[in-house]
Amino acid sequence: MASSPLPAQGRRAFLFSVVAASLLAGCATGPSTRPGQEARVNRVAVLVPLSGPDAAVGRAIGNAARLAQFDSKSTAFEMTLFDTDQGGAAAAAQRAIAGGNDLILGPLRAEDVRTVTPVAQRTRVPVIAFSNDVSVAAPGTYVLGFTPTQAVERVVAQAAAAGAKRFAAIAPASTYGQRSVQALQVAAQRVGGQVTGIETYDRPENARAAARRLAARPYDAVLVADNGRVAALAAPSLRAGARILGTELWAGSELGGTARLRGAWYAAPTQGRWTQFVQRYRARYAGQTPPRIASLGYDAVLLSVRAARNWAPGRRFPLGAIDDAEGFDGVDGIFRFRSDNVAQRAFEVRQVTATGTAIVSPAPTKF
């Protein structure tokens, strides 16, 4: 049975209460079947790679999705995982829709989202994808993943507030690297700064050489648009005295062992709830540690649980719940979908220390 809508001020609070209660509680009970429950129930499909090279990541996202349903105690829908590497993502979407699923969470890879979107559009089934590629957003298809643009904008603004005017970057010759560099150029202009040098590399081991090529360029801050391992490799070759900046890819990395990275700043989702989520995940799944991206599976299900309050069995998924301008609060902090169907997030800025990290600027708690 559908319930009445929450008032605006309670929309984020609903998800926050679910997250807080589930992550802090040591023993939540799972979904149960109610006597007299309607035979026709809402169904949600999770499309992830359960075989092939990305199987470990896909299984972790699926585990996190199940954990969210377990923690929320929701009986509003049944959830089924579909393997995108068995016959392809489009075929998985077709099986899901034929099975009565009216919401698709996933898939993970951008190329899979592109093949799933037309299948879902034909039957007006919304897709909340785990990709971070903004180019796959489309009518009915939402991008939940962490996009580099917002992280770069956040950390550049923080560096500019500290006095940086000249910015440089090293980035991989990939889509992620290209978008990071584009974001740097826009962000630098926005804060009245300038980009004085950009170097790219084709393989991680060549990041050090890219850093050396920047030696002749003047810069106050330099972006390393790659993961923590590459940042540690390149950092000693970057100009002394310049602030090193990073993106959300640094989150969860042990960076303090590299002396040149101490004092570096990076923007990422809030760390506190992630730590609690990891504890819950380990307790549920025999001590396994989830990859950072697994939180997307958890938050996507929490969003579905919130929407299910107004999702009558046998009816289409209520798109208005996804488009809620008030946004949602999950493991990774607050988020909402912009008009382009890309998740807007609130990042915190952290500083690398010898023993871990410290918060330089906390994430906003409301939009």
Side-chain angles (χ1 to χ4, degrees):
M1 180 178 296
S3 61
S4 59
L6 286 174
Q9 65 270 22
R11 290 169 184 157
R12 282 195 302 268
F14 173 78
L15 281 187
F16 177 79
S17 64
V18 170
V19 173
S22 62
L23 294 181
L24 295 177
C27 53
T29 58
S32 59
T33 303
R34 298 188 300 270
Q37 187 176 19
E38 292 185 53
R40 187 171 186 180
V41 297
N42 294 319
R43 301 181 190 279
V44 174
V46 179
L47 271 59
V48 285
L50 300 175
S51 58
D54 295 322
V57 174
R59 284 194 295 268
I61 293 174
N63 286 344
R66 290 192 180 107
L67 180 62
Q69 192 173 32
F70 176 87
D71 285 343
S72 68
K73 307 179 186 179
S74 175
T75 56
F77 54 81
E78 292 181 355
M79 189 169 63
T80 306
L81 270 60
F82 292 82
D83 186 0
T84 55
D85 278 24
Q86 287 292 327
Q94 290 170 344
R95 293 195 301 272
I97 293 169
N101 291 274
D102 288 312
L103 173 65
I104 291 175
L105 307 181
L108 172 64
R109 297 180 292 247
E111 59 269 26
D112 288 344
V113 181
R114 290 190 179 94
T115 63
V116 164
T117 291
V119 175
Q121 286 176 333
R122 285 195 291 270
T123 52
R124 292 195 292 168
V125 171
V127 174
I128 301 178
F130 302 131
S131 171
N132 66 355
D133 188 339
V134 298
S135 71
V136 302
T141 295
Y142 299 79
V143 172
L144 185 61
F146 308 117
T147 62
T149 299
Q150 296 176 51
V152 171
E153 289 174 347
R154 178 77 165 92
V155 77
V156 166
Q158 190 68 36
K165 294 291 186 183
R166 300 169 300 178
F167 296 87
I170 62 169
S174 64
T175 299
Y176 185 93
Q178 291 169 0
R179 295 210 167 118
S180 298
V181 167
Q182 291 169 357
L184 174 65
Q185 292 168 330
V186 172
Q189 183 177 22
R190 184 174 298 161
V191 297
Q194 61 177 321
V195 177
T196 57
I198 294 171
E199 294 291 342
T200 62
Y201 48 90
D202 54 354
R203 295 191 301 273
E205 57 268 28
N206 292 333
R208 184 184 289 113
R212 291 192 188 111
R213 290 196 297 272
L214 281 179
R217 311 287 183 87
Y219 56 86
D220 308 311
V222 54
L223 175 72
V224 181
D226 212 321
N227 60 39
R229 183 177 65 84
V230 174
L233 180 69
S237 298
L238 294 169
R239 189 169 65 78
R243 174 86 65 181
I244 301 177
L245 309 177
T247 73
E248 81 289 346
L249 294 183
W250 289 20
S253 300
E254 298 293 334
L255 302 170
T258 302
R260 181 65 184 89
L261 280 179
R262 295 171 195 164
W265 288 349
Y266 67 93
T270 55
Q271 185 70 18
R273 291 184 200 163
W274 164 253
T275 301
Q276 295 170 341
F277 165 75
V278 170
Q279 293 170 350
R280 293 283 296 130
Y281 188 101
R282 287 173 176 166
R284 181 96 175 143
Y285 298 110
Q288 298 178 48
T289 299
R292 191 62 182 81
I293 197 174
S295 61
L296 297 181
Y298 195 99
D299 282 358
V301 170
L302 287 186
L303 184 156
S304 305
V305 169
R306 164 67 183 94
R309 293 172 60 88
N310 299 307
W311 189 11
R315 304 294 295 273
R316 293 190 180 278
F317 182 83
L319 280 177
I322 302 178
D323 296 328
D324 188 346
E326 288 292 315
F328 306 93
D329 204 347
V331 172
D332 294 314
I334 61 172
F335 67 96
R336 65 180 176 184
F337 289 102
R338 305 179 312 208
S339 59
D340 61 358
N341 287 3
V342 174
Q344 176 186 0
R345 296 183 175 276
F347 289 118
E348 65 186 13
V349 177
R350 304 189 70 87
Q351 177 171 301
V352 178
T353 68
T355 57
T357 62
I359 297 176
V360 173
S361 176
T365 57
K366 62 180 180 179
F367 289 109

